[in-house]
């Protein structure tokens, strides 16, 4: 698969299949764990989109690459201090997973910020969501999942309708490429959570991403990265857009199948629209409200149908 491309349909990973079996065998305890995972995912979505809104305010100061660097460097430091991950006792396959996870993180964030620097946030999130949507259909073994994914796609397309006219081609391409890496992130996050305890794997992968982004950010923004106000806003973006959502999602993927997680990501455009309204003062019309309703119904349907199956 070429770097940044939308991934081809792939079967569910062994880790995800094992998690599905364990969740099904757990009875009521498994149902409670699943609902808890859903709450973690929703929390991650909300913090991520509000963090993206704050990041937009930083673009005039340090540019898109500078914001990515601040976000990843601060996030990696916080996670390293909080987790203090061990570096011994892991196999070559474990480290390969962490390295791939780090590359996916830096690529996904860099491409998405390049996109929202050129096209509206709603359109960028809509295009980026195509990656997880394809993953949802590809990894699911139930026809009903295709229905929920189709409903979610209709919602995100409707939500981004106003922003699709006259899109910058490079911005749209960056959003699509970010979606491909977002799908890879979902799979790699699940596998990292199975190979490393707690959030240790995430801390190590975030450090890899920070090291890869640092030269690009320093070259792009220079000494502007050291401005106290910029550092403070960058720390806020890191906590809201990296530390909290990635940690919550990684913990959620220990119990939630990748297919269900990917469909739940349809809430991202709705959260982005809400954050844009509250932080960036972007108004919502009736079309956007209908679109939000569609993606919420799709996400709820995916979760409820999965619970009934178990």
């Amino acid at each position: 698969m070429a770097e940044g491309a939308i991934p081809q349909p792939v079967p569910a990973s062994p880790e995800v299949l094992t998690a599905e079996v364990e969740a099904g065998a757990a009875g009521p305890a498994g149902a409670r764990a699943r609902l808890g995972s859903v709450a973690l995912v929703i929390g991650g979505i909300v913090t991520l989109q509000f963090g993206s809104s704050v990041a937009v305010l930083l673009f005039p100061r340090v540019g898109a690459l500078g914001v990515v660097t601040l976000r990843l460097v601060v996030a990696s430091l916080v996670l390293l201090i909080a987790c203090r991950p061990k570096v011994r006792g892991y196999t070559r396959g474990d480290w390969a997973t962490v390295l791939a996870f780090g590359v996916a993180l830096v690529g996904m964030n860099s491409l998405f910020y390049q996109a929202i620097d050129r096209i509206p946030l709603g359109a960028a999130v809509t295009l980026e969501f195509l990656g997880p949507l394809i993953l949802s259909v590809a990894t699911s073994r139930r026809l009903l999942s295709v229905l929920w994914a189709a409903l979610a796609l209709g919602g995100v397309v409707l939500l981004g309708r106003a922003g699709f006219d006259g899109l910058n081609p490079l911005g749209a391409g960056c959003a699509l490429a970010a979606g491909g890496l977002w799908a890879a992130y979902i799979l790699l996050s699940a596998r990292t959570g199975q190979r490393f305890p707690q959030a240790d794997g995430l801390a190590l992968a975030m450090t890899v991403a920070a090291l890869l982004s640092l030269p690009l950010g320093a070259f792009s923004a220079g000494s502007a990265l050291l401005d106290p106000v910029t550092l403070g806003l960058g720390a806020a973006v890191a906590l809201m857009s990296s530390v909290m959502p990635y940690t919550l999602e990684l913990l959620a993927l220990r119990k939630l199948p990748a297919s269900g997680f990917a469909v739940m990501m349809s809430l991202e455009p709705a959260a982005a629209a809400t954050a844009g309204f509250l932080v960036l003062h972007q108004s919502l019309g009736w079309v956007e409200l209908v679109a939000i309703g569609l993606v919420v119904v799709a996400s709820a349907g995916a979760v409820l149908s999965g619970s009934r199956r178990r």
Side-chain angles (χ1 to χ4, degrees), residues 145-161:
S145 295
V146 179
L147 173 63
W148 297 126
L151 185 62
L153 177 61
V156 296
V157 169
L158 186 62
L159 186 63
R161 180 181 61 85

Side-chain angles (χ1 to χ4, degrees), residues 114-283:
Q114 289 293 330
I116 62 176
D117 194 29
R118 292 172 171 82
I119 62 177
L121 179 62
V125 173
T126 301
L127 291 173
E128 188 191 27
F129 178 71
L130 293 179
L133 185 66
I134 292 173
L135 176 65
S136 172
V137 176
T139 59
S140 176
R141 299 184 300 279
R142 305 186 70 218
L143 182 61
L144 188 59
S145 295
V146 179
L147 173 63
W148 297 126
L151 185 62
L153 177 61
V156 296
V157 169
L158 186 62
L159 186 63
R161 180 181 61 85
F164 286 142
D165 297 332
L167 284 184
N168 179 283
L170 179 58
C174 287
L176 288 171
L181 288 176
W182 191 1
Y185 156 77
I186 293 172
L187 294 175
L188 290 167
S189 181
R191 294 177 182 177
T192 301
Q194 293 293 327
R195 290 174 178 268
F196 293 83
Q198 303 301 323
D200 286 10
L202 174 63
L204 295 171
M206 192 70 72
T207 302
V208 172
L211 291 175
L212 291 175
S213 71
L214 190 57
L216 296 175
F219 177 79
S220 174
S223 60
L225 290 173
L226 302 179
D227 178 75
V229 176
T230 300
L231 286 174
L233 290 173
V237 171
L239 291 174
M240 297 174 67
S241 297
S242 293
V243 177
M244 294 181 65
Y246 292 159
T247 300
L248 293 174
E249 290 169 4
L250 186 145
L251 295 175
L253 279 165
R254 294 179 186 272
K255 294 294 182 181
L256 195 65
S259 58
F261 175 81
V263 172
M264 285 194 67
M265 289 296 98
S266 61
L267 287 171
E268 292 281 3
T274 303
F277 173 73
L278 296 176
V279 179
L280 303 176
H281 308 293
Q282 298 172 346
S283 60

Side-chain angles (χ1 to χ4, degrees), residues 1-6 103-104 106-108 110-111 176-178 180-181 212:
M1 181 180 69
E3 180 178 351
I6 296 296
V103 171
V106 68
M108 178 179 66
S110 298
L111 288 167
L176 288 171
L181 288 176
L212 291 175

